[in-house]
Amino acid sequence: MASILAKKPKKMKLKELKTLSQQLLSSRAHINNLPLLLGFISPSSPPPHVLESLLSLQSFFTTVLADLPPSQSSKKRPRIEDSAKQDPEFIYRTWLRSKFDEFVTLLIEVLISPDTEDALREIVLDSFMEFVKLGNGGSFYSSIYHKLLRSIVNSPTTVDFLSELLALKYFKYIDVRYFTFISLEKLAKALDTKDTADDETTGGDGDSGSQSRESMELSICKIHYIISHIPPLEGNDGKSEYEMWSGSGLPSNEEHDKKKLSKAQKAEDKGWKAEKQTNNVLSPASIAKKMKLKFTKAWISFLRLPIPVNVYKEVLPTLHHAVIPHLSNPIILCDFLTKSYDIGGIVSVMALSSLFILMTQHGLEYPNFYEKLYALLSPSIFMAKHRAKFFQLLDSCLKSPLLPAYLAAAFAKKLSRLSICVPPSGELVIIALIHNLLRRHPSINCLVHKEDGDESDEDKNDSGSEKRPGIDHFNSEESNPIKSNAMRSSLWEIDTLRHHYCPPVSRFILSLENDLTVRSKTTEMDIKDFSSGSYATIFGDEIRRRVKQVPLAFYKATPTSLFPESEFCGWTFKYEGSNEIKEQKTVEEDDASTKRQRIEC
């Protein structure tokens, strides 16, 4: 025995390690084996040694953990009399508590280490979560679980496998989700405070500031991954899931979650006992209310962080279906979404879905909404990744019959102008949008056909040069739709699409020839059918289309010119092989030979 203890932990054989484990579990007299086994819980130890030590220590601490005093760092540690401190049994249990805390710290180091094998990491996580389940007298051990999440978020390296494993195996339990939301809220607030302090202290040191910023962005990415992989309380089938990891369920006292220390210790003990008695009687409605509250606090704390651009583009497209329906008060996202919408470009496009839901379903007022929406209409939007959703929302935003005529005309004219410089798939979307606008707002049908005498008062006051036909008063560079002069223009760009080289465009433009003011004889276009089109979809539709007359690969009569003379009055186009050119060349050659003969004579 002495020879085994004298050996260094790194040089101990697996058989000798098993002997130490059996001795520790068999008798209290071999308690000194505990520090030796803890020495093998390290990323640098061989995996078989780590596994053997882990299983032995897990079996040992599971049996004694319920009798151990609270941790030294616990805020609710009860007051202990001086006489009790001298008790050998109490000293022994306090020592075991310190070793258990050390054991938890070592497990976390193994979990987040990049040198740990994935198979061993999974076993260590399962053992750790068993202590989370049973280590607090049968209730959820939130303190060590928070320590795990804090280590994951603050780790200088990525721990994707550990985060995936945690989400896959344990986020299906509602109490794990509950305490995950609590921990993420605390971690997000801590990062926000740290970012504010760094901005005040690292003004001159650029290198340290950049390193701090990179570390901050990595932590934010990890928080986003964890919080975005927590499933909602209601599953895909609409039924709520209430499976618990620990047997005690969720805490029923909010003051316990906030850990207020203003009450006396006796009152806390009584409240804790009463809480234990009522833990198992929470109704499904109470659980849903608690989960929604913690979900809201966690997400709001996260969205207040300085989110990197790559995470920003992942958050915005999912807010309207993954976050807003589960918030206790969705209107609190208005500041975040309006700031995102004001940025412009693709960020505004991605924020439009969530902002539209807040405006239509939760009563948000945003005065400059249509002005910002008008500014988003540019050729680049027809090539954006989220263009399909954007065009559907654009059509929904322009559906209201209360929309002013000048605003509907501005959108119709701006779309008409864009039809000149977008691909054929974009032109199909534009035609469908203009079709719906003309049908919904009969007052702008003057853009389709305007007689010479149909002039506004402004037109009559214009100078003579501006009255000439061919002058378009529309200002495409104006960002304000009110000042664009769309009502004084026409949709002449749409008329040019009649002769478009792409057959689907030239055919689809014929739908605008109907009288769209007669709503009973026309129907609205479904933008979803055109919003995700491309060259590939147009080509696929064309080759599947059945045609009545097949184009032939030969001419019924041999063409004599490239263009017919009727299209170019006063011009003639003849090729060199024509008979007239041959006869002219023969005459010219004869004249040249006659001149040579005369010169010789």
Side-chain angles (χ1 to χ4, degrees):
M1 176 64 186
S3 60
I4 296 179
L5 295 177
K7 289 185 177 180
K8 293 183 179 181
K10 301 298 180 182
K11 297 183 178 180
M12 191 174 295
K13 295 181 179 180
L14 184 60
K15 183 178 180 180
E16 297 172 342
L17 187 62
K18 291 182 179 180
T19 303
L20 294 178
S21 302
Q22 294 173 358
Q23 291 174 351
L24 176 64
L25 297 176
S26 62
S27 174
R28 186 170 175 177
H30 300 284
I31 193 63
N32 289 330
N33 293 358
L34 178 59
L36 293 175
L37 293 174
L38 286 174
F40 287 96
I41 308 297
S42 171
S44 59
S45 299
H49 290 66
V50 177
L51 183 60
E52 178 63 30
S53 301
L54 171 64
L55 297 177
S56 303
L57 293 172
Q58 181 181 358
S59 301
F60 174 78
F61 280 116
T62 302
T63 57
V64 301
L65 194 57
D67 300 328
L68 299 183
S71 177
Q72 294 285 346
S73 59
S74 176
K75 294 182 179 181
K76 288 196 172 184
R77 186 179 181 183
R79 183 179 179 182
I80 302 171
E81 301 295 337
D82 293 337
S83 59
K85 293 181 180 179
Q86 303 299 327
D87 184 12
E89 184 65 22
F90 175 78
I91 295 174
Y92 169 72
R93 293 180 179 179
T94 303
W95 179 78
L96 287 181
R97 164 58 69 175
S98 65
K99 293 303 176 184
F100 176 75
D101 295 340
E102 182 183 351
F103 178 50
V104 170
T105 303
L106 293 173
L107 290 180
I108 294 176
E109 290 181 3
V110 174
L111 285 172
I112 66 174
S113 173
D115 300 329
T116 305
E117 297 179 359
D118 291 342
L120 178 61
R121 184 179 281 111
E122 183 174 358
I123 297 174
V124 173
L125 180 61
D126 292 339
S127 301
F128 187 90
M129 293 304 295
E130 284 296 326
F131 287 117
V132 172
K133 179 179 182 179
L134 305 172
N136 195 22
S139 60
F140 196 93
Y141 205 165
S142 59
S143 61
I144 65 172
Y145 183 68
H146 174 72
K147 187 182 295 185
L148 172 64
L149 292 181
R150 183 179 60 194
S151 300
I152 293 175
V153 171
N154 295 331
S155 172
T157 58
T158 58
V159 283
D160 295 339
F161 181 78
L162 178 59
S163 302
E164 294 174 4
L165 202 59
L166 188 65
L168 181 64
K169 299 186 68 173
Y170 296 102
F171 282 175
K172 62 182 179 181
Y173 300 105
I174 190 171
D175 51 350
V176 176
R177 303 182 210 170
Y178 180 84
F179 287 102
T180 302
F181 286 137
I182 294 176
S183 296
L184 292 180
E185 178 191 358
K186 295 178 181 178
L187 293 171
K189 289 182 178 179
L191 283 176
D192 193 14
T193 305
K194 179 182 177 183
D195 180 64
T196 305
D198 290 343
D199 291 340
E200 296 176 355
T201 57
T202 60
D205 193 353
D207 295 337
S208 62
S210 61
Q211 292 177 359
S212 177
R213 176 60 60 182
E214 292 177 359
S215 176
M216 172 77 69
E217 292 180 356
L218 181 59
S219 298
I220 293 174
C221 292
K222 293 176 183 176
I223 292 180
H224 172 252
Y225 181 88
I226 296 174
I227 199 172
S228 62
H229 281 75
I230 301 178
L233 185 61
E234 294 183 356
N236 296 329
D237 54 356
K239 297 181 180 180
S240 299
E241 302 173 359
Y242 298 106
E243 186 179 1
M244 301 286 182
W245 174 244
S246 62
S248 60
L250 299 183
S252 59
N253 188 0
E254 287 294 331
E255 293 180 357
H256 172 65
D257 296 335
K258 297 178 182 179
K259 294 185 178 181
K260 293 182 178 180
L261 301 178
S262 59
K263 294 183 179 181
Q265 187 61 41
K266 292 183 179 180
E268 284 187 358
D269 294 341
K270 290 181 180 179
W272 176 240
K273 291 179 181 179
E275 181 180 334
K276 282 187 175 181
Q277 295 175 359
T278 58
N279 269 336
N280 296 324
V281 295
L282 284 177
S283 63
S286 300
I287 293 177
K289 185 177 180 181
K290 282 177 168 293
M291 289 296 297
K292 183 169 287 191
L293 180 61
K294 296 303 179 184
F295 178 90
T296 302
K297 289 183 177 180
W299 268 101
I300 296 302
S301 300
F302 168 70
L303 294 177
R304 287 173 180 168
L305 294 172
I307 302 176
V309 177
N310 59 332
V311 179
Y312 209 78
K313 293 182 179 180
E314 293 179 8
V315 171
L316 285 176
T318 60
L319 278 181
H320 66 281
H321 63 83
V323 179
I324 291 181
H326 309 291
L327 293 176
S328 58
N329 184 19
I331 204 69
I332 59 181
L333 285 178
C334 63
D335 291 338
F336 173 78
L337 291 175
T338 52
K339 289 179 181 179
S340 303
Y341 193 62
D342 291 340
I343 292 176
I346 190 63
V347 175
S348 296
V349 174
M350 292 186 291
L352 182 60
S353 300
S354 302
L355 193 61
F356 180 74
I357 290 177
L358 293 187
M359 294 177 61
T360 57
Q361 300 180 13
H362 301 282
L364 175 65
E365 295 183 3
Y366 187 39
N368 298 327
F369 176 76
Y370 283 101
E371 183 177 342
K372 298 291 184 182
L373 184 62
Y374 182 81
L376 291 178
L377 295 178
S378 62
S380 61
I381 200 66
F382 291 86
M383 304 298 293
K385 180 180 179 181
H386 304 281
R387 63 183 183 276
K389 187 65 177 178
F390 170 76
F391 291 130
Q392 296 173 33
L393 289 173
L394 176 63
D395 183 63
S396 300
C397 295
L398 301 176
K399 188 175 291 185
S400 174
L402 302 178
L403 202 66
Y406 74 86
L407 200 57
F411 276 93
K413 180 59 182 178
K414 185 65 175 290
L415 290 169
S416 177
R417 181 60 58 88
L418 289 174
S419 65
I420 301 177
C421 52
V422 298
S425 58
E427 291 169 338
L428 295 176
V429 179
I430 288 175
I431 295 172
L433 288 169
I434 293 179
H435 177 279
N436 291 344
L437 280 171
L438 294 174
R439 185 178 183 274
R440 296 165 185 165
H441 308 281
S443 58
I444 67 170
N445 274 269
C446 60
L447 300 177
V448 179
H449 181 72
K450 181 180 290 186
E451 298 290 347
D452 294 338
D454 298 341
E455 295 180 355
S456 62
D457 295 337
E458 295 180 359
D459 294 335
K460 293 178 181 179
N461 296 330
D462 285 342
S463 61
S465 60
E466 293 185 350
K467 290 183 179 180
R468 296 199 306 267
I471 298 297
D472 192 349
H473 299 281
F474 176 71
N475 185 5
S476 60
E477 302 297 330
E478 177 60 50
S479 60
N480 190 348
I482 301 177
K483 302 177 181 180
S484 63
N485 294 327
M487 291 294 290
R488 302 173 62 190
S489 182
S490 65
L491 303 181
W492 60 265
E493 300 92 348
I494 297 298
D495 187 64
T496 62
L497 299 182
R498 295 174 182 270
H499 308 287
H500 199 276
Y501 74 91
C502 186
V505 176
S506 58
R507 286 195 304 265
F508 191 42
I509 198 66
L510 299 178
S511 62
L512 297 180
E513 294 183 353
N514 302 325
D515 188 1
L516 299 178
T517 59
V518 184
R519 298 176 62 89
S520 59
K521 295 182 180 180
T522 57
T523 57
E524 286 193 359
M525 298 286 185
D526 190 0
I527 304 300
K528 187 185 296 184
D529 297 338
F530 309 95
S531 57
S532 57
S534 62
Y535 284 105
T537 57
I538 292 177
F539 181 77
D541 293 339
E542 282 298 298
I543 62 176
R544 289 191 297 267
R545 182 172 173 267
R546 297 183 63 182
V547 293
K548 297 180 180 179
Q549 189 175 9
V550 180
L552 301 178
F554 63 91
Y555 297 99
K556 295 180 180 180
T558 304
T560 59
S561 61
L562 182 62
F563 301 104
E565 295 183 0
S566 59
E567 293 185 3
F568 298 88
C569 299
W571 293 76
T572 57
F573 301 93
K574 298 179 180 179
Y575 62 94
E576 295 182 357
S578 62
N579 294 329
E580 296 179 359
I581 293 179
K582 289 181 179 180
E583 292 176 357
Q584 185 177 357
K585 286 185 176 181
T586 304
V587 172
E588 291 177 354
E589 291 176 356
D590 293 341
D591 292 341
S593 61
T594 303
K595 289 180 180 179
R596 286 196 299 269
Q597 291 176 0
R598 290 177 181 177
I599 292 172
E600 291 176 357
C601 295

